[in-house]
Amino acid sequence: MAEVKTATAMTRNVRISQYKVRQVLELIRGKSAERAQVILKFSDKKAAGIILKVLNSAMANAEHNYGMDLDKLYVHAAYADKGPVMKRFRPVSMGRAHPYVHRTSHVTITLGERQ
């Protein structure tokens, strides 16, 4: 079995929940890089803009660092991991406070080159 050449890009501590990012990543996993760009450009989710930046970075890494052909690239792996959680409190009536959290995520996209 031939080894697949890959190029990776990631962003860390993005201020959006990993669950919301994973919904959009499901749309592009396994697609060609150009097709994934079109899907992300026309998606109305907030995560689509973040993922598009990471995808463009991975494509630039593939071309510049590894000399890969942009027309043969596809999304080999795409995943979102849990990042640090910012814990906050919201004041409510009678001097009390309710806790809530701001979730963050780490987004990683790996592109492979089709033979």
Side-chain angles (χ1 to χ4, degrees):
M1 186 172 189
E3 189 173 314
V4 178
K5 285 177 59 175
T6 60
T8 303
M10 73 181 305
T11 184
R12 297 171 57 94
N13 303 325
V14 179
R15 196 37 198 85
I16 187 169
S17 170
Q18 68 269 18
Y19 307 110
K20 295 176 183 179
V21 176
R22 286 175 187 156
Q23 287 180 336
V24 180
L25 288 175
E26 285 291 324
L27 299 175
I28 66 166
R29 198 172 288 129
K31 304 269 193 317
S32 71
E34 292 176 353
R35 178 83 176 122
Q37 280 182 320
V38 171
I39 291 169
L40 293 172
K41 282 179 186 174
F42 290 102
S43 176
D44 59 351
K45 298 275 191 183
K46 175 186 171 183
I50 296 164
I51 295 169
L52 182 60
K53 284 178 125 177
V54 178
L55 178 65
N56 289 336
S57 178
M59 290 174 71
N61 289 344
E63 182 180 28
H64 184 265
N65 298 344
Y66 303 106
M68 299 164 82
D69 185 11
L70 290 179
D71 295 330
K72 295 181 181 180
L73 294 179
Y74 72 100
V75 181
H76 182 69
Y79 52 92
D81 296 323
K82 181 180 176 184
V85 175
M86 299 184 289
K87 297 179 181 177
R88 300 290 184 263
F89 291 94
R90 173 163 290 137
V92 290
S93 61
M94 298 171 66
R96 297 186 176 124
H98 289 169
Y100 65 98
V101 293
H102 291 295
R103 299 186 189 280
T104 62
S105 58
H106 306 315
V107 181
T108 305
I109 295 180
T110 302
L111 298 178
E113 189 175 37
R114 295 194 196 276
Q115 298 303 327

